[in-house]
Amino acid sequence: MENPKKVSSHKHIVLTSHPGKSGKKSVSVHWGESDPIKRGPIIGTLANPNQRNAIGTHSGSYAVYRALAIASGALQANHRADLTNTSPVVHIGPYPSWADANKIVSLDPFGAIVGEVFPSFYEEGYDIRPTIAVTKAHINMPELQDSVAKGRLQVDGQIIKNNGNLVVTKVAIDPVWYLPGIAKRLNIEESDLRRILFQQTGGMFPELVTRPDLHVFLPPIGGTTIYLIGDVAAITDPNRLLAVRVHDECNGSDVFGSDICTCRPYLVHGIEVCVQTAQAGGAGVIVYFRKEGRALGEVTKFLVYNARKRQEGGDRADAYFARTECVAGLQDMRFQELMPDVLHWLGITRIDRLVSMSDMKYNAITNSGIEVIQRIPIPDDWIPEDAWVEIAAKQAAGYYTPGEVPTATTLAEIKGRGLGD
Amino acid sequence: MENPKKVSSHKHIVLTSHPGKSGKKSVSVHWGESDPIKRGPIIGTLANPNQRNAIGTHSGSYAVYRALAIASGALQANHRADLTNTSPVVHIGPYPSWADANKIVSLDPFGAIVGEVFPSFYEEGYDIRPTIAVTKAHINMPELQDSVAKGRLQVDGQIIKNNGNLVVTKVAIDPVWYLPGIAKRLNIEESDLRRILFQQTGGMFPELVTRPDLHVFLPPIGGTTIYLIGDVAAITDPNRLLAVRVHDECNGSDVFGSDICTCRPYLVHGIEVCVQTAQAGGAGVIVYFRKEGRALGEVTKFLVYNARKRQEGGDRADAYFARTECVAGLQDMRFQELMPDVLHWLGITRIDRLVSMSDMKYNAITNSGIEVIQRIPIPDDWIPEDAWVEIAAKQAAGYYTPGEVPTATTLAEIKGRGLGD
């Protein structure tokens, strides 16, 4: 074996528990200010620690890989991003919600346009990274081809191209948490939030407790992607219709088409409704959150699948939530309370067609001040046979359905496939 | 507004920078021991801090959501998972590679069978969580239906059911890093790895530098999923064929079918080869890593898309990698050096059909001691038109191709769609 490489990065370790001795003050953040200069840029890079005004660093959980890249010598610790030509392809905002510290607390509304609104800071040498990127794409899902073939969608040459491709604007968003706002959303004290975030992650980021002066946290979690369909201007136009599907990641269904849940079919249905709405002169919005297995993660999800299918009486709708609670201690960790932020970032105040049955999503959206005109469930014939356990259990628990709510007797009768089948 | 909730969790903050005063010693981990009792369980829960022998906590990046759940009062801090009926549906291992501290360093080989191998620890009250879960599923991708319709795949009633569903065994894996092994893999000193992981994440987990006695780290990153197709026993049978595709997440293509890259088509092609191999009496393995945008993350990826499509001369194969380097400072952060661990966990020593053109993946696999008989590229007619920029750039950079390697002149001629098109 070769000798281990010498790594050139700075060897002096400063434990981040307490403020540095350097007198230079970082830029203050005034969350909710409408003027970006008054609000101040969020600085989470490590190029110059004195400039930092946030806890953690950029790219969510990919920060760990970046640290590996620096450790291995593949990336220079002082690399500054060359942001030439990277600015948003479509302009979004500002909207009144950007200036409301209560409407947006889990992303930086100025995150896409840092190059545009903070030129003086760049000139002074601040390393400000975009936390949002906006681009355009053509997408093509086989199910949408089928929708065209069956006449549910029409090729119009603009939204759906002649080759069947769907034209979208897409947006990637890294999480930026304003801790006082997150605490308020969860109805707890900020100090409790900070302490428990520190304790219950095994001691991640002591600054959560030692630096109460830093209110912005860049958590190492997955981000959010938005797909905008149709004219972006229609999203905020009160005279044009808006369809929205808010979708939480389910890799097993979204990518591989597992038949135990309705995730990919519901996503496709959401896109179909968005395209129909856009083609009628409105717009469609798909939001995709990295919250695998209700944010319990995939290991927990698969453990629960086994427990559901092996329990006495087999996989039953009436025991659907109970198995998750046994393993995880609760049914759901997605915190839909934070979800509407992305809708407010888009300036949405009314959703004409919400493609979702979830009462948690509906309540979070309407409680945040967005009006919902119509809720659209997944059509019955899009539900895989083994997924009826999930759908019935959710309907009985309060999910929206225009049909009958399953009774206890019905729930006990709805069963899924066994593990060996 | 209601008054903020009182949160009952323990208020006394112990900064984790230094070992606790409690005299009770946690169980030592002897990584690479074949006997699980001698190896010792990995304990990353926070129920009893004295028991912990790892840095960080379970569920990768979802640990942050669990902390939120505790902060909000939705989850009890002392919840112990009820693991009844959750054990693996299919038995995997142990294999000789499990007892080689150099072969597996980024997952816990005993992670799926903790309930089976550590009963005495459970009796003593240790809170040991599975880091791997094994279940069965039926999956259905529209493209596979097309493969059946076109006669490339056959319905056999077992691997492909009469309704077109594909029967799979699937495995979810949370990351468990043995830091001395990770450092060796990257050819750096463990102390440098630990220091830079701490510094370059903005101070995540001071224990990385203050607790050199703890060698196991549970990083807050996404995990890995394996899909096993066919008879699991065939994977390690030298007389039966094995097909493998190692796939890194690309949400834009894998889920939404973006036409700028080949990710979903390549994944489907991999599954097709796996099914064909399984139906011929062998087995197929698909490994899915959460390493979006070459582990640079999706914000960086979209920034690069804009820079590629807006640069002078438009999106060109000869400038494909350069744009990524400008923004991110390097082309790739996936660290394929760690990837083969999952193959060794499955006991793989020979791959007959590796469905990949990546030289990085090929080199990592063969350097880890696994023999590769044949490399299978994606068929040309599966490549979306706009993705030729990527494929040609990769072929010129050393990716495997049975055809001609593009010349500089060819590269300069291969162009993608503009942003406005």
Side-chain angles (χ1 to χ4, degrees), chain A residues 161-172:
Chain A
K161 294 276 188 182
N162 295 330
N163 61 3
N165 279 358
L166 172 58
V167 178
V168 298
T169 300
K170 61 182 189 175
V171 183

Side-chain angles (χ1 to χ4, degrees), chain A residues 175-295:
Chain A
V176 177
W177 285 6
Y178 178 59
L179 292 168
I182 301 272
K184 203 167 174 185
R185 213 60 82 75
L186 303 182
N187 198 26
I188 56 177
E189 298 283 358
E190 184 190 348
S191 57
D192 283 333
L193 172 67
R194 299 175 73 118
R195 176 177 51 82
I196 296 173
L197 265 178
F198 169 72
Q199 288 174 332
Q200 295 295 332
T201 51
M204 195 191 278
F205 298 114
E207 289 182 325
L208 287 166
V209 289
T210 62
R211 292 290 306 270
D213 58 311
L214 296 180
H215 292 287
V216 174
F217 175 40
L218 306 174
I221 59 173
T224 306
T225 316
I226 312 175
Y227 286 75
L228 304 174
I229 298 162
D231 180 6
V232 170
I235 294 172
T236 51
D237 185 335
N239 298 313
R240 297 163 81 179
L241 292 179
L242 178 66
V244 171
R245 162 124 187 109
V246 177
H247 189 86
D248 295 315
E249 175 180 357
C250 167
N251 189 260
S253 172
D254 293 345
V255 175
F256 292 94
S258 163
D259 74 341
I260 199 173
C261 60
T262 58
C263 298
R264 184 171 170 103
Y266 222 139
L267 178 63
V268 172
H269 181 54
I271 296 174
E272 197 175 289
V273 173
C274 283
V275 172
Q276 287 163 343
T277 308
Q279 290 185 330
V285 173
I286 303 285
V287 189
Y288 193 94
F289 286 93
R290 303 308 188 286
K291 294 181 182 174
E292 177 63 56
R294 301 195 206 120

